[in-house]
Amino acid sequence: MSGMRRAPRPSHGPVAITSSPWIVVCAGVVVMVVLLFVVLGAYRGRSPAPDDVSAPTLPLPQTPVPPTGPAPTSSARPLLPGLSPRATGLPPSLAAGSRAPTVSPSAGPRSTTRAPDRPAVSGRYRVVQSFDGGFIGEVLIANATGEDRGWTVRLDFSGGRLVTTWVEGVPQGTVRQTDGADFTYVSGVDVPAGASVALRFHLERASTRPQGCTVDGVRCTGF
């Protein structure tokens, strides 16, 4: 018995791990749990901004509001006679303490020159056509009023003979011949307001320049 050797005992390190795989599984689970805690701790260490916090806003410029009180009243003194709005002092006549001139009640109204009134109906004489032994004349009657007006033309010539008179396009008036070529023509139709009408006549052996021409008593022009 003393000469026999005892067989060596097997080692429990690698053989125990190989023969017991649950030890490896438990170690892996422990490592994963530790890593999980480490990750959670790192994630909670961050401080994300809360959802209900909005970005800061910049202040808007304020528009000045005009005052709503009553408008300031001018304290300027009333203007005196002889002063312009830009005058800074009194005229010499008022600087010495004299009073402003007054109008005497007994003074009459100032005289004004009135322009002569324009005749309501006027006439202009002219010769339309001349030929051997006679001519055709015309008196243009113009109505300067605002209403239709009748009219009367009177023509005086030295000698001669009146052949005919007419107004084109309207009913004819009344002719009253007095002596030779002298005649009066009374309109048959009024001349409209602001318009004119031409009275024409044919004379023989008479001067082309009449001695007299009137329309409603007002002397004609043109001769």
Side-chain angles (χ1 to χ4, degrees):
M1 297 279 303
S2 61
M4 298 178 65
R5 294 182 178 182
R6 299 179 64 181
R9 299 178 63 180
S11 176
H12 297 284
V15 177
I17 294 174
T18 305
S19 60
S20 301
W22 62 270
I23 298 176
V24 178
V25 173
C26 291
V29 171
V30 171
V31 172
M32 291 179 64
V33 171
V34 172
L35 293 175
L36 180 62
F37 275 101
V38 172
V39 171
L40 291 176
Y43 179 77
R44 290 182 178 180
R46 299 178 182 178
S47 57
D51 296 338
D52 57 348
V53 177
S54 59
T57 57
L58 297 177
L60 298 176
Q62 297 182 357
T63 304
V65 179
T68 57
T73 57
S74 176
S75 59
R77 294 179 300 176
L79 297 178
L80 296 177
L83 292 179
S84 64
R86 296 183 180 180
T88 57
L90 295 175
S93 59
L94 297 179
S98 59
R99 298 178 59 185
T102 58
V103 179
S104 174
S106 59
R110 292 182 299 176
S111 60
T112 57
T113 302
R114 184 178 179 181
D117 295 334
R118 183 179 179 182
V121 180
S122 60
R124 180 170 58 85
Y125 174 85
R126 74 184 183 102
V127 176
V128 177
Q129 182 181 3
S130 296
F131 45 86
D132 187 17
F135 71 96
I136 295 176
E138 176 189 272
V139 177
L140 183 65
I141 298 96
N143 182 6
T145 66
E147 59 183 3
D148 297 353
R149 295 289 297 268
W151 45 273
T152 300
V153 174
R154 178 175 175 80
L155 283 163
D156 298 330
F157 290 91
S158 57
R161 183 177 72 91
L162 176 64
V163 177
T164 184
T165 61
W166 72 94
V167 178
E168 295 182 357
V170 298
Q172 302 304 306
T174 303
V175 181
R176 293 195 298 266
Q177 191 171 355
T178 57
D179 183 16
D182 300 343
F183 67 94
T184 302
Y185 186 97
V186 180
S187 63
V189 177
D190 295 346
V191 58
S196 60
V197 63
L199 170 66
R200 291 189 175 182
F201 47 90
H202 178 194
L203 291 177
E204 290 182 346
R205 299 186 303 274
S207 172
T208 58
R209 180 182 178 87
Q211 293 181 340
C213 174
T214 60
V215 177
D216 290 348
V218 179
R219 179 180 171 85
C220 302
T221 60
F223 72 99

